């Protein structure tokens, strides 16, 4: 959708960004002092450009993820992916997975889809239950796509069909005992880095 914005409009919005201070992981309702989870992807390193196949300019599939160092008291996991640089008041949500099993340690490429076998797929910012492929406006510059994994000290609550960011955030409040972050970069038609 944003790929259709004219480049001059993307460039004029280059200073308009949601900001990392609005990411889910820094929301005060979640608490602080979480145990660190090592979150990574075999497809790209932290703070490097995401391969084209994971974006709207490629196949648009979700990237593979892996994690370690999950706290022993974890009863469920949640994943939220947000664009910290979207030209919107809050980060654009690219994916939500809720109720992942505590013993799970990876997600395969393309696993973030509606009716995922691994957990409940929540709504992204375009109200779809899937991976919203990175799609920054031309001329807007580099975007940070922040994968945030949360370890919870409780089983996953029933949040109904396709919960949004607000419902997941409310359910996680006071229950996060571990968290990890992975940042992938992407800029349409521009050099990243």
């Amino acid at each position: 959708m944003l790929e259709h914005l004219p480049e001059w409009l993307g460039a004029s919005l280059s200073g308009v960004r949601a900001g990392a201070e609005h990411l889910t992981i820094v929301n005060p309702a979640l608490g602080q002092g979480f145990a660190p989870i090592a979150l990574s992807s075999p497809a790209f390193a932290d703070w490097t450009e995401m391969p084209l196949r994971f974006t709207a300019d490629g196949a648009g599939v979700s990237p593979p993820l892996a994690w370690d160092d999950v706290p022993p008291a974890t009863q469920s996991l949640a994943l939220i992916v947000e664009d910290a640089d979207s030209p919107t008041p809050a980060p654009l949500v690219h994916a939500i997975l809720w109720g992942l099993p505590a013993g799970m340690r990876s997600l395969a490429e393309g696993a973030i889809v509606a009716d995922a076998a691994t957990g409940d797929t929540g709504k992204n910012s375009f109200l779809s239950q899937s991976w919203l492929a990175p799609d920054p406006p031309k001329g807007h510059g580099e975007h940070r796509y922040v994968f945030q994994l949360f370890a919870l000290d409780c089983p996953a609550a029933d949040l109904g069909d396709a919960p949004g960011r607000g419902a997941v955030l409310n359910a996680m409040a006071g229950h996060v005992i571990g968290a990890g972050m992975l940042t992938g970069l992407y800029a349409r038609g521009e050099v990243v880095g």
Side-chain angles (χ1 to χ4, degrees), residues 75-178:
Q75 294 190 38
S76 64
L77 299 163
L79 176 74
I80 298 179
V81 185
E82 296 172 303
D83 178 358
D85 296 301
S86 61
T88 53
L92 206 63
V93 176
H94 283 262
I96 295 175
L97 281 179
W98 175 252
L100 297 170
M104 188 176 197
R105 293 297 177 266
S106 65
L107 275 177
E109 180 174 315
I112 303 176
V113 294
D115 301 321
T118 53
D120 295 327
T121 309
K123 284 187 263 188
N124 61 38
S125 286
F126 285 11
L127 305 179
S128 134
Q129 286 180 267
S130 62
W131 168 249
L132 176 59
D135 185 20
K138 288 180 184 171
H140 196 254
E142 182 177 277
H143 280 225
R144 296 166 290 171
Y145 296 91
V146 185
F147 296 77
Q148 304 154 89
L149 183 69
F150 301 95
L152 308 174
D153 66 359
C154 61
D158 181 1
L159 300 180
D161 188 37
R165 180 186 187 267
V168 171
L169 178 64
N170 288 340
M172 290 194 308
H175 295 288
V176 177
I177 57 174

Side-chain angles (χ1 to χ4, degrees), residues 54-81:
F54 306 123
T55 74
D57 295 319
V61 297
S62 59
L65 300 172
W67 54 89
D68 212 351
D69 302 328
V70 175
T74 300
Q75 294 190 38
S76 64
L77 299 163
L79 176 74
I80 298 179
V81 185

